[in-house]
Amino acid sequence: MCKSSSCFVEKSMKTDIFPDNPYLLLTPGPLSTTKSVKAAMLKDWGTWDNDYKNLVQKIRQRLVRLATNDEQSYTAVLMQGSGTFSVESVVGSVIPDNAKLLVLVNGAYGRRMADIAEFLQIPTLIINAGDLAIPDLFQIKKTLLENPEITHVAAVHCETTTGIINPVDEISRIVKSFNKVFIVDAMSSFGGIPLNISDLNIDFLISSANKCIQGVPGFGFIIAKVDRIKQCKDRARSLSLNLYDQWKIMEGENGRWRFTSPTHVVSAFHQALLELEKEGGIAARYKRYCRNQEKIVKGMAALGFNSLLPRKLQSPIITSFYYPNEKFEFIKFYEILKKNGFLIYPGKLSNISMFRIGSIGDINFKDIDKFLSIIKDNKFW
Ligand SMILES: *Cc1c(COP(=O)(O)O)cnc(C)c1O
């Protein structure tokens, strides 16, 4: 008899009790997951049992391996809640009292990091590039030079607000030339865009279950330098979001979470990691996302929709499109697409009329062709 979790998934699949989802999510997390990822949630787990803790340990190992080949220097910590909880856990747990944070902002998620720091009364400086540009590297250098009291720098890899991709490699080179601790919100990019955490010398990288790894929502994770996390004892500004304590127990007690963990979500995430590997790893997934994104942009352009960002700033994760004209009614557009099997995102900028289409998740060319044909066949303006 087969007892492993993947066999359990296969058996569940054979019963085929799942109806198809009423629509695909063309949104960058939550996103469309495979049936087998959803099926992995059909089993109940005991959190103190070794089977479950082993699963957690396998996940932590795999995450580190996805980020670097220097497995000794890095560790992974899983944290309950949505991605923001993990960001708050890092910002609140790694910056000591007498320190100062520099946050690079070009969208809502950079702003959110600065908001968290402000809420926690951490002295913070912000470089705001505006929502349509990457941060000015010279300004970063100048700010670090003029403000030697800065100890930590935080940046967003892919700003999901617009889909802009920030040059974390160049930013890292500057941050490290000043010897600062580097925090990266790679929420919407990790697993979908190749990134080597040790080459980039990132100290803390944050992502979550429901983005490019293609799991379901319920927890986030932090991949961090072991030496750095060891320095964080007694720094946390929150009990439940204490990153050091979460790591200490997860590491010291072989995969135990401090408080009740989202067991079904963890199981689905493990399945999602196996499927990422089966697809060919991050490099293969990145290619699929790039092809999806290019196909969406080309198809939309042919239908009269221009994208917001120039090609060189555009990530393969999500694309912002201008409304085609004044008469365009987004609500109607949204409802017709939903009725025909696709959910998209509204815009996230207050001053520009736009909407967003994600290119990540379990979606392929056939889905995109269908999506484009629905837009073509309906008169929206
Ligand atoms: C999704 C996302 C987050 C976290 O958002 P939650 O809603 O808390 O999961 C943070 N940063 C970026 C760049 C994101 O895309």
Side-chain angles (χ1 to χ4, degrees):
M1 213 185 80
C2 158
K3 284 192 188 138
S4 81
S5 59
S6 57
C7 278
F8 180 80
V9 170
E10 272 161 35
K11 268 195 229 152
S12 312
M13 291 292 288
K14 278 195 193 111
T15 60
D16 207 21
I17 55 171
F18 309 105
D20 279 329
N21 223 57
Y23 39 69
L24 285 175
L25 301 178
L26 295 185
T27 58
L31 36 62
S32 288
T33 56
T34 61
K35 271 195 177 187
S36 36
V37 161
K38 289 187 269 277
M41 289 188 286
L42 283 174
K43 182 176 159 185
D44 303 315
W45 300 79
T47 50
W48 285 79
D49 187 76
N50 280 336
D51 290 350
Y52 179 67
K53 290 198 291 182
N54 287 341
L55 193 73
V56 172
Q57 292 299 69
K58 271 194 245 164
I59 288 173
R60 295 179 61 217
Q61 247 174 29
R62 275 179 190 276
L63 285 176
V64 172
R65 241 180 268 150
L66 283 177
T68 175
N69 33 29
D70 181 9
E71 291 174 51
Q72 293 310 309
S73 305
Y74 283 86
T75 184
V77 187
L78 315 185
M79 182 66 75
Q80 293 93 332
S82 86
T84 303
F85 290 57
S86 287
V87 176
E88 185 156 346
S89 166
V90 170
V91 172
S93 303
V94 313
I95 302 166
D97 277 343
N98 52 357
K100 189 166 194 167
L101 173 69
L102 171 66
V103 186
L104 310 181
V105 175
N106 56 349
Y109 293 104
R111 219 144 37 229
R112 190 175 296 175
M113 284 204 279
D115 287 347
I116 290 169
E118 190 191 344
F119 198 92
L120 298 175
Q121 299 186 311
I122 294 166
T124 303
L125 264 181
I126 293 168
I127 294 181
N128 194 338
D131 293 328
L132 302 179
I134 56 170
D136 178 353
L137 300 174
F138 180 74
Q139 196 187 354
I140 300 174
K141 244 183 245 171
K142 189 162 171 282
T143 305
L144 288 172
L145 204 60
E146 289 171 359
N147 301 273
E149 74 279 14
I150 291 170
T151 49
H152 296 64
V153 180
V156 178
H157 187 202
C158 168
E159 231 326 331
T160 326
T161 310
T162 53
I164 210 165
I165 186 96
N166 284 314
V168 276
D169 47 349
E170 290 171 274
I171 295 169
S172 169
R173 234 170 283 137
I174 297 169
V175 170
K176 287 300 163 179
S177 74
F178 285 88
N179 244 327
K180 311 297 181 188
V181 178
F182 192 28
I183 300 167
V184 176
D185 170 351
M187 202 71 66
S188 62
S189 57
F190 185 75
I193 301 178
L195 173 155
N196 186 319
I197 194 172
S198 35
D199 283 357
L200 295 183
N201 211 340
I202 295 170
D203 297 281
F204 297 91
L205 177 145
I206 309 146
S207 187
S208 80
N210 59 286
K211 304 242 169 158
C212 296
I213 309 280
Q214 296 186 183
V216 302
F219 71 92
F221 54 88
I222 295 103
I223 305 174
K225 275 189 195 153
V226 178
D227 288 347
R228 284 287 183 214
I229 231 172
K230 282 183 180 165
Q231 293 167 357
C232 297
K233 191 169 185 299
D234 298 327
R235 282 185 190 173
R237 293 161 179 83
S238 154
L239 179 110
S240 48
L241 297 176
N242 186 328
L243 179 65
Y244 177 85
D245 282 3
Q246 187 90 345
W247 168 75
K248 184 89 181 147
I249 289 182
M250 217 170 249
E251 181 72 17
E253 298 186 30
N254 302 314
R256 185 169 80 77
W257 297 54
R258 279 188 308 157
F259 310 122
T260 302
S261 65
T263 48
H264 302 79
V265 178
V266 169
S267 171
F269 189 71
H270 180 255
Q271 177 63 23
L273 282 169
L274 298 182
E275 291 177 17
L276 171 59
E277 190 167 289
K278 206 167 157 204
E279 184 174 342
I282 293 175
R285 183 155 292 180
Y286 173 66
K287 268 194 201 140
R288 177 166 63 86
Y289 287 172
C290 287
R291 285 196 299 256
N292 280 350
Q293 197 270 343
E294 280 157 26
K295 189 172 173 67
I296 290 169
V297 167
K298 246 192 185 158
M300 291 297 282
L303 296 168
F305 293 88
N306 295 321
S307 35
L308 179 76
L309 296 172
R311 190 86 205 103
K312 68 179 201 312
L313 298 184
Q314 174 67 53
S315 72
I317 308 296
I318 184 168
T319 311
S320 300
F321 292 96
Y322 288 108
Y323 289 4
N325 59 38
E326 307 261 286
K327 278 183 277 173
F328 179 74
E329 292 175 67
F330 177 73
I331 304 286
K332 195 171 142 201
F333 184 68
Y334 178 93
E335 288 300 335
I336 290 178
L337 284 171
K338 180 178 169 187
K339 215 173 71 196
N340 286 283
F342 295 95
L343 220 63
I344 63 167
Y345 259 4
K348 211 176 160 93
L349 297 180
S350 50
N351 54 340
I352 301 174
S353 294
M354 61 153 208
F355 59 89
R356 295 174 297 162
I357 299 175
S359 34
I360 65 178
D362 184 34
I363 56 164
N364 55 40
F365 270 26
K366 227 176 79 200
D367 303 318
I368 295 168
D369 277 329
K370 190 179 160 215
F371 171 75
L372 293 168
S373 73
I374 293 161
I375 300 178
K376 196 170 169 208
D377 295 346
N378 283 275
K379 266 259 156 268
F380 289 103
W381 57 90

